[in-house]
Amino acid sequence: MKILLVAVNAKYIHSNLAVYDLQAYAARYEEYIVLREYTINQPKDHILRDIYLEQPDVVCISCYIWNISFIKELICDLCKILPGTAFWAGGPEVSFDAEAFLKNQPEFTGVMMGEGEETFLELAGYYIERSPEELSQIPGICYRNQQEIYRNELREVLDLNKIPFVYEKLPEFRNRIIYYESSRGCPFSCSYCLSSIDRKLRFRNTETVKKELQFFLDHKVSQVKFVDRTFNCNHAHAMEIWRYIKEHDNGITNFHFEISADLIREEELKLMETMRPGLIQLEIGVQSTNPRTVQAIHRTMDLSRLKEIVDRIYSFGNIHQHLDLIAGLPYEDYDSFRKSFNDVYAMKPQQLQLGFLKVLKGSHMMEMCREYGIVYKTREPYEVLYTDWLNYGEILKLKTVENMVEVYYNSGQFQNTLEYVESFFPDAFSFYEQLGMFYEEKGYGNVSHTRMRRYEILLEFVENISGISMEDVCDRMVMDLYLRENLKSRPAFAKDQKGFEKPVWDYRKKEHVVKNAHVEVFGNGRAVLFDYNRRDPLSGNAYSEDVTEKVFGQM
C-alpha cells in the first residue's frame, strides 16, 4: 500500500505547509506515505511520469486557485494510466463546493473538506488497515460510492498543539521559503476572505512556538513567513514571540508577519523600535480608505490609527512594511480608488501591493455579487471584470498602474528619480497612470525590458514634462543606478567623469577606499561615495556618503 501526498506549488521556492502537516500528523503510517512537490511551471509529462513510477494506491492532492486547472488536467491523464488508484482532493479550492466538484470531476474518489490532519489520518487508516469502518464514518469528507455522492458531517476544528513540527529534516527546505503557523482562524469577518469563515481562533502554545523558532534560528534560515491571518490579534501571544526573536536574533533570519496595524500597542512599538534592521517585516492589509467600502466588506479598521502606526514604524527605519490595496470592492469607483492609492502611497511603504478582487468560493463576497453588480472571471483566479462602480476599461487602466508600481516603485530601484519626477504631477496616482498610458501608446507594455531600458523609457517619458530639469533627472537616475551596483558600463545619460579622474583617484588613495566602491561626481559638482560592502538591510542599497570636500579639497 502506498499513499502519495502531492503539492503543486506556484514557484520552486514555495513549500506547501499543508501536505507536510498531513504527513507529520499521520506519522504512525509513515512507511506507507510518500510526499512529492512540483510546480505549475514543470511540464505535465514530467509530473505524470514521476507519479506513475511511484505506483501509488492512493493520491491525495492539494488544490488552490493557482493550480486547480493544472491539477484537473493532470488527474484526467493519471487516472488513465493508474486505473486502480483512488484520487482525493483537498484545500480551499474544493472544500466549499465538494459535491459539485465531484460531479464535474468523475476521476476523483473524494474530497477532504476543511482542516485535513485528522481526516487524512483516518482516511489513511481506512486504506492501509482496510478498516471495517466505512467511509461514511469519517467526518470531513465528501465521496462517491459507485454513482452516488455522499457528504459527511464536517469535522470539529483541531487543537494546533497536536500537530508535530514538520521541519526536522531542514535540508529538504534549503533555498525555499519557510512557512510557519502559530494560529488558525481569524477574529474578523472581511467578506472577500476565506479566513472569515473560520472564526474559531486557536493558538499554538507559545513555549512550543519558541522552541520551533529556535530551530530556524539555529539553522540560519533566511526567512520564515508566518501564515497566521492576523498575527497580532492576541497581544500577549504576539509580544511573547516578538520578544523572543528579538532576544535570540542570529543576525540573519528575517520573520514575516501579516498584522492589523490599528491593533498595535505602544508596548509593541517600543519593542519594534529596538529590533535589528531587517529582523521582521510586516504586511498590512488596508484594501481601501473609502469608509463606505470598508463598511461594506465588513472590515474592522481605524484608518487614522492605522496611518499613525505605519508612520511610527516608518520613522524607526528598521522594518520593511508591505501595504495592500484591492481594486474592485463595493462602492469603490475609479476616483475613489485613486484616493485610496494616494492615501496609502503617502505612508511610504517599502512595497505597495495593488491587487484585484478575487471572488473566492465560500466567501461572503460571492453571495453579494448580484447585489453589488460584481462580475468576475469564470475560471480561477475568479478575478473581478467589472462592478457597478468600475467598468472593464477602468480595470484595464488600473492594471497598467499596477504594472508601473511594480516595476518602478516596488523594485526600489528608482527612489530618487521618482521623488523628483512625481512632484510635477497632481498626485502619485496620476504619475503612474500617465506613465502606464505612455507604455501602452509606445507598445512597451507587452515587452520584457532590462533594468537599464526601464530607465531609458522613463527618461523618454519625462522629456516633455513642462518645467522639469533633464539634468536633475539624469543625475537622480545615475544615483539610483549606483546605489544598486557598481556598474560595469556607464549609461549614455551619465555625466562624463574624465575631468574628475585625478582628484577622485587621489581621494581613494589617501582615504584607503575599498576596491568594491565607486565615487561619482554629479552635475552640480557633488561627489558621492558608494560602498557596496555596506548595504542597507531594508533597501539593499549601497552605503552612500557626500565626499565633495574630501575629493575637491585636495585640488
Side-chain angles (χ1 to χ4, degrees):
M1 171 61 61
K2 181 185 289 188
I3 299 176
L4 186 64
L5 280 168
V6 176
V8 182
N9 302 323
K11 297 179 181 178
Y12 169 76
I13 60 170
H14 296 166
S15 56
N16 189 308
L17 179 59
V19 293
Y20 282 96
D21 275 347
L22 299 189
Q23 183 186 45
Y25 199 81
R28 74 177 70 164
Y29 300 124
E30 182 178 8
E31 62 184 294
Y32 302 101
I33 299 171
V34 176
L35 191 151
R36 290 285 182 269
E37 282 189 281
Y38 308 99
T39 80
I40 56 174
N41 301 309
Q42 289 179 255
K44 288 192 182 73
D45 282 347
H46 291 184
I47 301 175
L48 203 68
R49 176 182 182 277
D50 194 60
I51 294 177
Y52 172 78
L53 292 177
E54 288 289 345
Q55 287 293 298
D57 299 284
V58 183
V59 172
C60 298
I61 193 160
S62 188
C63 303
Y64 302 88
I65 57 174
W66 63 80
N67 68 13
I68 186 64
S69 290
F70 189 100
I71 286 170
K72 286 177 181 178
E73 293 178 23
L74 184 69
I75 299 301
C76 278
D77 289 332
L78 271 174
C79 72
K80 295 172 186 174
I81 58 178
L82 294 171
T85 300
F87 294 96
W88 285 79
E93 188 55 22
V94 296
S95 282
F96 297 100
D97 62 349
E99 290 136 311
F101 175 79
L102 290 177
K103 286 176 183 176
N104 294 325
Q105 304 297 139
E107 305 83 12
F108 281 87
T109 305
V111 171
M112 291 183 283
M113 303 178 293
E115 292 183 343
E117 287 88 357
E118 289 275 8
T119 303
F120 176 70
L121 175 63
E122 292 184 16
L123 194 63
Y126 168 80
Y127 282 106
I128 292 167
E129 299 178 4
R130 289 300 173 184
S131 169
E133 183 180 43
E134 296 291 333
L135 287 176
S136 61
Q137 302 302 308
I138 301 177
I141 63 170
C142 183
Y143 63 99
R144 71 174 77 252
N145 188 346
Q146 296 181 352
Q147 300 303 313
E148 297 296 321
I149 293 175
Y150 300 91
R151 180 189 176 98
N152 294 352
E153 63 179 9
L154 292 176
R155 185 177 293 277
E156 287 296 313
V157 297
L158 182 67
D159 178 353
L160 282 194
N161 296 299
K162 291 183 177 180
I163 301 176
F165 185 56
V166 303
Y167 292 108
E168 293 291 349
K169 298 178 181 178
L170 195 63
E172 296 178 12
F173 299 92
R174 188 176 292 125
N175 301 320
R176 310 281 292 278
I177 295 175
I178 297 293
Y179 295 97
Y180 183 78
E181 183 177 46
S182 76
S183 69
R184 277 187 192 171
C186 184
F188 303 116
S189 305
C190 303
S191 60
Y192 53 83
C193 181
L194 289 180
S195 295
S196 62
I197 297 169
D198 181 6
R199 299 295 298 278
K200 296 176 181 177
L201 186 58
R202 294 145 285 153
F203 296 89
R204 197 163 175 84
N205 180 276
T206 50
E207 291 305 313
T208 301
V209 170
K210 288 188 283 189
K211 289 177 184 176
E212 292 168 350
L213 296 184
Q214 190 58 51
F215 181 87
F216 300 137
L217 290 164
D218 291 343
H219 285 78
K220 295 181 170 55
V221 170
S222 59
Q223 185 180 64
V224 177
K225 295 192 77 168
F226 277 67
V227 297
D228 305 40
R229 300 311 303 160
T230 306
F231 176 75
N232 63 321
C233 61
N234 182 303
H235 172 71
H237 178 81
M239 273 299 293
E240 195 165 351
I241 291 172
W242 278 335
R243 202 177 281 121
Y244 185 86
I245 63 175
K246 194 253 181 184
E247 292 170 356
H248 296 79
D249 180 16
N250 62 8
I252 296 172
T253 306
N254 162 268
F255 296 89
H256 177 101
F257 303 92
E258 288 188 40
I259 69 162
S260 178
D262 47 332
L263 295 181
I264 292 287
R265 302 182 188 180
E266 188 64 28
E267 183 183 17
E268 290 161 311
L269 289 170
K270 288 181 177 178
L271 178 64
M272 288 178 183
E273 190 174 10
T274 66
M275 290 179 172
R276 166 180 61 85
L279 175 60
I280 70 170
Q281 63 186 51
L282 304 175
E283 184 172 349
I284 300 166
V286 183
Q287 321 312 10
S288 171
T289 65
N290 182 330
R292 195 173 184 190
T293 299
V294 172
Q295 182 179 21
I297 61 177
H298 304 159
R299 185 158 176 78
T300 303
M301 182 175 70
D302 181 339
L303 182 61
S304 60
R305 175 65 177 162
L306 182 147
K307 183 180 183 306
E308 176 190 341
I309 296 299
V310 170
D311 288 347
R312 280 279 302 280
I313 294 173
Y314 176 82
S315 73
F316 300 158
N318 62 346
I319 295 173
H320 174 109
Q321 294 187 93
H322 177 143
L323 304 188
D324 297 331
L325 283 171
I326 297 177
L329 294 173
Y331 303 106
E332 186 95 274
D333 61 18
Y334 194 81
D335 288 335
S336 169
F337 189 83
R338 176 193 298 271
K339 182 180 183 306
S340 289
F341 179 95
N342 287 326
D343 288 342
V344 173
Y345 194 87
M347 298 180 200
K348 299 180 180 179
Q350 278 72 27
Q351 294 268 309
L352 198 170
Q353 182 69 46
L354 197 172
F356 292 81
L357 176 66
K358 295 172 178 59
V359 182
L360 303 177
K361 294 177 181 179
S363 69
H364 180 64
M365 186 62 72
M366 175 172 274
E367 300 171 10
M368 303 302 292
C369 281
R370 182 171 295 181
E371 178 179 339
Y372 293 135
I374 295 174
V375 176
Y376 58 94
K377 292 180 180 178
T378 303
R379 288 185 57 177
E380 71 290 341
Y382 316 113
E383 192 171 274
V384 63
L385 291 169
Y386 62 87
T387 73
D388 281 349
W389 300 272
L390 203 61
N391 63 46
Y392 184 60
E394 291 168 329
I395 290 283
L396 292 179
K397 288 175 70 175
L398 291 179
K399 288 282 185 180
T400 64
V401 171
E402 176 198 25
N403 187 37
M404 294 300 98
V405 169
E406 194 62 31
V407 168
Y408 286 99
Y409 183 81
N410 287 343
S411 68
Q413 297 171 359
F414 303 82
Q415 288 179 317
N416 292 282
T417 308
L418 293 180
E419 182 182 34
Y420 177 64
V421 173
E422 285 169 15
S423 66
F424 291 86
F425 290 82
D427 53 46
F429 183 89
S430 297
F431 164 69
Y432 292 105
E433 178 185 48
Q434 291 184 41
L435 180 59
M437 291 169 61
F438 179 79
Y439 260 73
E440 293 299 313
E441 290 166 4
K442 292 290 186 176
Y444 298 149
N446 297 319
V447 180
S448 179
H449 300 287
T450 63
R451 180 159 67 102
M452 191 62 75
R453 181 64 184 135
R454 296 287 190 188
Y455 279 94
E456 293 168 350
I457 294 172
L458 183 57
L459 197 61
E460 183 185 350
F461 169 70
V462 302
E463 281 177 342
N464 296 318
I465 297 176
S466 176
I468 203 164
S469 165
M470 294 306 292
E471 182 179 3
D472 285 349
V473 172
C474 290
D475 269 359
R476 286 171 177 266
M477 285 186 172
V478 172
M479 170 69 82
D480 284 328
L481 281 163
Y482 276 109
L483 279 170
R484 283 293 175 170
E485 63 176 306
N486 195 351
L487 300 174
K488 293 180 180 178
S489 58
R490 292 175 60 75
F493 51 80
K495 181 179 176 64
D496 186 6
Q497 300 288 292
K498 286 185 180 178
F500 311 116
E501 287 177 350
K502 186 179 186 308
V504 167
W505 171 252
D506 290 343
Y507 158 72
R508 294 188 70 126
K509 188 176 180 181
K510 181 180 179 182
E511 299 292 333
H512 305 289
V513 176
V514 296
K515 287 184 179 181
N516 192 25
H518 173 74
V519 177
E520 180 77 12
V521 181
F522 293 89
N524 58 5
R526 186 168 69 106
V528 177
L529 168 71
F530 300 89
D531 186 344
Y532 302 99
N533 291 334
R534 293 185 285 170
R535 289 185 179 270
D536 185 307
L538 293 188
S539 68
N541 286 342
Y543 168 81
S544 62
E545 179 186 349
D546 189 320
V547 293
T548 308
E549 289 189 15
K550 293 179 180 178
V551 171
F552 296 111
Q554 304 171 74
M555 294 181 65

